[in-house]
Amino acid sequence: MPQTASRDAHAHEHGHEHGHEHEHGHSHGLLDPSIRRSRAGVRAVLLALLVLGLAAGAQAVVFAVSGSVALLADLIHNGGDAATAIPLGIAFALRSERAERWAGLAVVAAIFASACVAGVEAVSRLVHPQTVHQLGALAAAGAIGAAGNWLAAIVRTRAGRRLDSPALIADGDHARADSYVSLAVIASALVLALGFPIADPLIGLAITLVILRITWRSWQTIHGGHPHAH
């Protein structure tokens, strides 16, 4: 009888240890989705950064020879958009929901800052008009900006939905809207070719208003987003 009780106690202890090991192993398993989410987020952010960085670089070269304020507005915005990859990438690397939300707010701040810079420059050009050169290159720069933003939007939005990241989704919406903003640069080149130089700063102002609207929409996405539950 004592032997039976001893065996039962041993079996209970072994079962408890086995259950504890199972629970411990399961706890470790819960970390895997977080790590995978972090890596996927960083990959998406870096890919979008590469695409937008190349587009902004090409636009900077064209601005240097054309002097278009519409292109400058788009360039500033695309450059700021690319820079938002830094806080987002850090947030995903840290696997921190709080850092991710703060990164989203940094995205909104960068968009707003780019709108202010573009708006000031457009008003300055209205007061002090300048001749715009290389209209063919200007149109090409607009096309490059549109294509780069559209590709970045696809990367960010798909990753944001897959990872349930409001910050990344907001950045994707931002890039998608930017692709249409870049098309305005092409419109500026066409109108300038028709002999209406004032169109360039006016289109620059229009781009500024669109950027402000994007700022508001991105803020709503970040403010209303819910943290991802691991």
Side-chain angles (χ1 to χ4, degrees), residues 1 110 150 154 210:
M1 188 73 174
W150 191 259
I154 292 174
V210 172

Side-chain angles (χ1 to χ4, degrees), residues 117-199:
V117 174
V120 168
E121 185 62 26
V123 171
S124 175
R125 287 294 184 88
L126 281 172
V127 178
H128 306 288
Q130 294 184 23
T131 303
V132 178
H133 307 282
Q134 303 294 333
L135 299 184
L138 178 60
I144 290 172
N149 277 297
W150 191 259
L151 182 57
I154 292 174
V155 172
R156 289 170 170 175
T157 302
R158 286 180 178 176
R161 289 173 180 169
R162 187 171 65 252
L163 303 176
D164 192 16
S165 169
L168 203 50
I169 291 173
D171 225 13
D173 290 341
H174 171 203
R176 184 173 294 101
D178 283 353
S179 65
Y180 297 110
V181 171
S182 293
L183 293 178
V185 176
I186 301 177
S188 177
L190 293 175
V191 177
L192 286 169
L194 295 175
F196 298 99
I198 196 174

Side-chain angles (χ1 to χ4, degrees), residues 108-122:
V108 174
I111 303 170
F112 180 72
S114 66
C116 293
V117 174
V120 168
E121 185 62 26

Side-chain angles (χ1 to χ4, degrees), residues 46-61 75 78-79 82 141 144-145 148-149 151:
L46 290 179
L47 180 56
L49 172 61
L50 176 62
V51 171
L52 288 174
L54 290 173
Q59 287 187 319
V61 172
L75 169 60
N78 287 337
I144 290 172
N149 277 297
L151 182 57

Side-chain angles (χ1 to χ4, degrees), residues 4-226:
T4 302
S6 176
R7 284 197 301 270
D8 290 343
H10 178 73
H12 176 75
E13 182 180 354
H14 177 74
H16 177 72
E17 290 176 355
H18 178 73
H20 178 70
E21 289 174 359
H22 175 73
E23 181 182 354
H24 184 67
H26 183 63
S27 296
H28 273 290
L30 285 176
L31 294 177
D32 292 341
S34 173
I35 295 172
R36 286 197 299 270
R37 181 176 187 272
S38 171
R39 291 175 179 172
V42 170
R43 280 197 302 270
V45 166
L46 290 179
L47 180 56
L49 172 61
L50 176 62
V51 171
L52 288 174
L54 290 173
Q59 287 187 319
V61 172
V62 176
F63 170 71
V65 298
S66 70
S68 168
V69 71
L71 177 57
L72 177 62
D74 196 36
L75 169 60
I76 291 171
H77 194 38
N78 287 337
D81 193 12
T84 61
I86 298 172
L88 275 176
I90 292 173
F92 276 111
L94 293 174
R95 300 199 295 276
S96 167
E97 296 295 343
R98 179 173 295 180
E100 204 173 311
R101 184 169 291 275
W102 277 107
L105 294 175
V107 169
V108 174
I111 303 170
F112 180 72
S114 66
C116 293
V117 174
V120 168
E121 185 62 26
V123 171
S124 175
R125 287 294 184 88
L126 281 172
V127 178
H128 306 288
Q130 294 184 23
T131 303
V132 178
H133 307 282
Q134 303 294 333
L135 299 184
L138 178 60
I144 290 172
N149 277 297
W150 191 259
L151 182 57
I154 292 174
V155 172
R156 289 170 170 175
T157 302
R158 286 180 178 176
R161 289 173 180 169
R162 187 171 65 252
L163 303 176
D164 192 16
S165 169
L168 203 50
I169 291 173
D171 225 13
D173 290 341
H174 171 203
R176 184 173 294 101
D178 283 353
S179 65
Y180 297 110
V181 171
S182 293
L183 293 178
V185 176
I186 301 177
S188 177
L190 293 175
V191 177
L192 286 169
L194 295 175
F196 298 99
I198 196 174
D200 187 58
L202 288 177
I203 289 176
L205 279 176
I207 291 175
T208 299
L209 294 176
V210 172
I211 297 172
L212 288 173
R213 182 172 179 271
I214 295 169
T215 304
W216 174 243
R217 286 188 57 193
S218 297
W219 162 253
Q220 288 180 313
T221 301
I222 296 297
H223 187 65
H226 299 288

